[in-house]
Amino acid sequence: MNMKNKNLMLFATGLAFIGAASAFPVVSDVSMEQTGGKVVISYALNEPAIVTIDVLTNALNGIGSSVGAANLSDLKGDVFRVVSAGRHAITWRPRKTPLGASGFRADDGSVRVEVTAWSMKCPPDYLVVDLVSSVADKWTTARFYPSADGVPGGVTENPAYRRTHLLMRKVPAAGIEWRMGSTQGDPLRTPGRELNHLVVLTKDYYVGVFEMTQLQCHHAFGRAVSNVANFTSLDECEESPANISWATLRGASGGVTLPVPKDGSYLDRLRTKTGIAFDLPTDAQWEFACRAGTETTTYNADYLDWNFDDADAPRTARTLERLNRIAWTLANATNLNANGGKVCRVQRVGLLEPNAWGLYDTLGNAWELTLDCYTQDGAYADTFGGKGYAEPVVDPLCASAGGATDRIRRGSCATEKGGFLTARAGLRWSVPESEGWGGCRLVCPVGL
């Protein structure tokens, strides 16, 4: 029987870009019908926008309780993506979710539907990009979700985000003044490389939740999976960070960073494949994302118990216990390979604790390449034009290093000797453009 709920509470919202003077997207004329186990939600949209929804039960008091984002992740139709102006529909089968056991009914008079339109200048927090699709249209390959709970299958539970799709998190960076570089308390601090200075980034951006894996690089760039013998299984190898050079990703630069990757480079191929302006993060973007609002040596604790005395085993153990929760280093990354021998190597991404923004392995596992040319000491300070002390540097990028081709890599790695001392948010290290000694964590603008 076709049951159209006449008492259903419907709610439509439009999220404007803060500070924008132009009109913002508006949802109207929301309706819901349930036929058997299928629910169809219809709505009208006044201009192109990203559309998300929530369904609340027990909403007779006007508040209600969400059915949970996990129960809505398999919706079909014009939802969780960019939608054109006009009339649209969403199909949902609640009986295919745990809600079926409770006999969900859209016509019981206590259901509230919230359809939200997000400006493309201020999109939801999570972005999922299909690397397998051959459709070079960013609005077709991109899906958006308001929270980690709503990401289909779960952030770490769904293997697709380590294999066939890129999962990205919006970083709330625009207009925030923060301190970049190491502090006096960092162990083995090198002030010339890690100058502490004020920075402001002018835009939010999306960044990869995980380091790109070998299988993702295969789908994104056509790159072969390598070093399988170091792992106990093919899956373990494919879901571990790729080892890749800066020149391969962006094209050899001769020491000058071009505004876009060179034609034919890996990132150029990915941009063509997806229609999205992917790139390496700048040095500042990488550190801001890694810190996730913290100012300490790592994002979960300082090295307060480490005094560099190898004989002080208790202090060393306390320090490593904290670091081992978030970072693969020489201290915890030794495994058996396919031949039963011991090998220290990178690990599957996403196995340890993330930072406050849900980013995994920003410290340890694989070094991560950044866009900037590498400088240090006086030349490093000169790149800021004398700013950074009382006045912040805005969107810093060292695009040229006087003909030198070394680039900045960040975060340390699983095989770094003494890795637990280099796995620090403020550490900067160099790598030649042509040397394949690093992984990558991609960024893209919120407007894609």
Side-chain angles (χ1 to χ4, degrees):
M1 181 173 64
N2 185 8
M3 297 174 290
K4 186 168 184 179
N5 178 22
K6 300 183 182 300
N7 300 314
L8 182 70
M9 286 176 280
L10 307 169
F11 190 67
T13 61
L15 297 185
F17 175 56
I18 296 174
S22 60
F24 55 88
V26 175
V27 176
S28 62
D29 196 17
V30 179
S31 66
M32 174 183 275
E33 285 190 9
Q34 181 173 3
T35 305
K38 184 173 77 171
V39 175
V40 176
I41 301 165
S42 300
Y43 65 91
L45 187 64
N46 71 324
E47 65 176 59
I50 299 163
V51 173
T52 64
I53 79 162
D54 195 9
V55 177
L56 297 90
T57 58
N58 302 314
L60 291 174
N61 59 1
I63 300 176
S65 176
S66 172
V67 298
N71 288 317
L72 299 171
S73 60
D74 63 344
L75 295 173
K76 307 298 182 183
D78 296 328
V79 66
F80 301 131
R81 66 179 183 86
V82 174
V83 177
S84 61
R87 187 77 186 171
H88 299 278
I90 302 165
T91 301
W92 179 39
R93 295 185 181 273
R95 291 183 183 176
K96 289 189 175 183
T97 76
L99 291 170
S102 62
F104 175 87
R105 298 183 67 84
D107 64 336
D108 70 355
S110 66
V111 176
R112 175 179 175 184
V113 181
E114 294 183 345
V115 181
T116 301
W118 305 67
S119 165
M120 287 181 283
K121 295 180 180 179
C122 187
D125 281 349
Y126 283 85
L127 164 68
V128 175
V129 179
D130 186 349
L131 297 175
V132 179
S133 172
S134 59
V135 180
D137 175 11
K138 59 187 176 183
W139 304 129
T140 300
T141 58
R143 292 291 184 269
F144 300 86
Y145 304 93
S147 68
D149 291 340
V151 172
V155 170
T156 57
E157 295 83 359
N158 189 343
Y161 307 135
R162 302 186 297 273
R163 303 179 68 82
T164 58
H165 292 66
L166 273 182
L167 176 62
M168 310 193 81
R169 171 70 155 90
K170 188 171 70 174
V171 175
I176 297 175
E177 184 177 288
W178 59 287
R179 283 206 165 271
M180 182 176 175
S182 62
T183 63
Q184 294 288 347
D186 278 8
L188 297 188
R189 177 178 185 249
T190 306
R193 278 199 300 263
E194 305 165 20
L195 183 68
N196 191 271
H197 56 286
L198 293 171
V199 171
V200 168
L201 300 173
T202 58
K203 297 178 181 178
D204 296 343
Y205 54 96
Y206 282 112
V207 66
V209 169
F210 305 115
E211 296 167 317
M212 279 197 79
T213 66
Q214 292 217 50
L215 190 56
Q216 285 175 325
C217 286
H218 168 72
H219 291 303
F221 311 132
R223 186 175 188 266
V225 175
S226 61
N227 299 319
V228 178
N230 282 344
F231 298 85
T232 56
S233 71
L234 178 60
D235 284 349
E236 190 177 46
C237 176
E238 290 176 337
E239 295 179 8
S240 296
N243 186 25
I244 198 165
S245 74
W246 197 99
T248 300
L249 281 167
R250 260 193 138 254
S253 76
V256 178
T257 306
L258 299 176
V260 297
K262 281 190 172 181
D263 291 348
S265 66
Y266 276 5
L267 283 172
D268 176 65
R269 293 184 202 173
L270 183 58
R271 286 177 171 217
T272 300
K273 180 182 179 70
T274 62
I276 297 172
F278 286 113
D279 213 331
L280 294 172
T282 66
D283 190 33
Q285 285 177 326
W286 184 94
E287 186 169 328
F288 187 81
C290 174
R291 289 190 175 281
T294 64
E295 298 179 354
T296 49
T297 302
T298 69
Y299 52 76
N300 74 333
D302 273 328
Y303 291 90
L304 298 177
D305 291 323
W306 181 248
N307 67 353
F308 309 110
D309 183 354
D310 291 335
D312 194 340
R315 290 193 177 194
T316 301
R318 285 194 295 270
T319 295
L320 290 181
E321 189 280 325
R322 287 198 298 270
L323 186 59
N324 286 348
R325 297 201 299 263
I326 65 170
W328 294 111
T329 71
L330 195 65
N332 63 347
T334 299
N335 298 85
L336 297 179
N337 61 19
N339 299 318
K342 287 187 176 181
V343 59
C344 187
R345 56 165 170 78
V346 293
Q347 308 288 312
R348 257 187 174 122
V349 298
L351 296 181
L352 301 180
E353 295 177 4
N355 68 12
W357 290 336
L359 308 181
Y360 292 80
D361 301 307
T362 56
L363 298 178
N365 216 10
W367 284 105
E368 297 184 18
L369 299 168
T370 70
L371 202 56
D372 295 57
C373 291
Y374 178 80
T375 56
Q376 62 178 333
D377 301 320
Y380 183 33
D382 289 345
T383 62
F384 307 135
K387 297 180 180 179
Y389 298 98
E391 181 181 359
V393 187
V394 178
D395 292 328
L397 168 64
C398 184
S400 175
T405 59
D406 279 7
R407 296 287 166 170
I408 296 171
R409 56 179 174 172
R410 289 299 211 117
S412 193
C413 71
T415 59
E416 184 70 30
K417 184 178 181 180
F420 61 91
L421 294 178
T422 58
R424 300 183 284 110
L427 177 76
R428 302 165 71 253
W429 210 258
S430 64
V431 62
E433 280 187 0
S434 59
E435 184 175 314
W437 189 247
C440 62
R441 184 185 304 265
L442 300 185
V443 297
C444 69
V446 293
L448 304 191

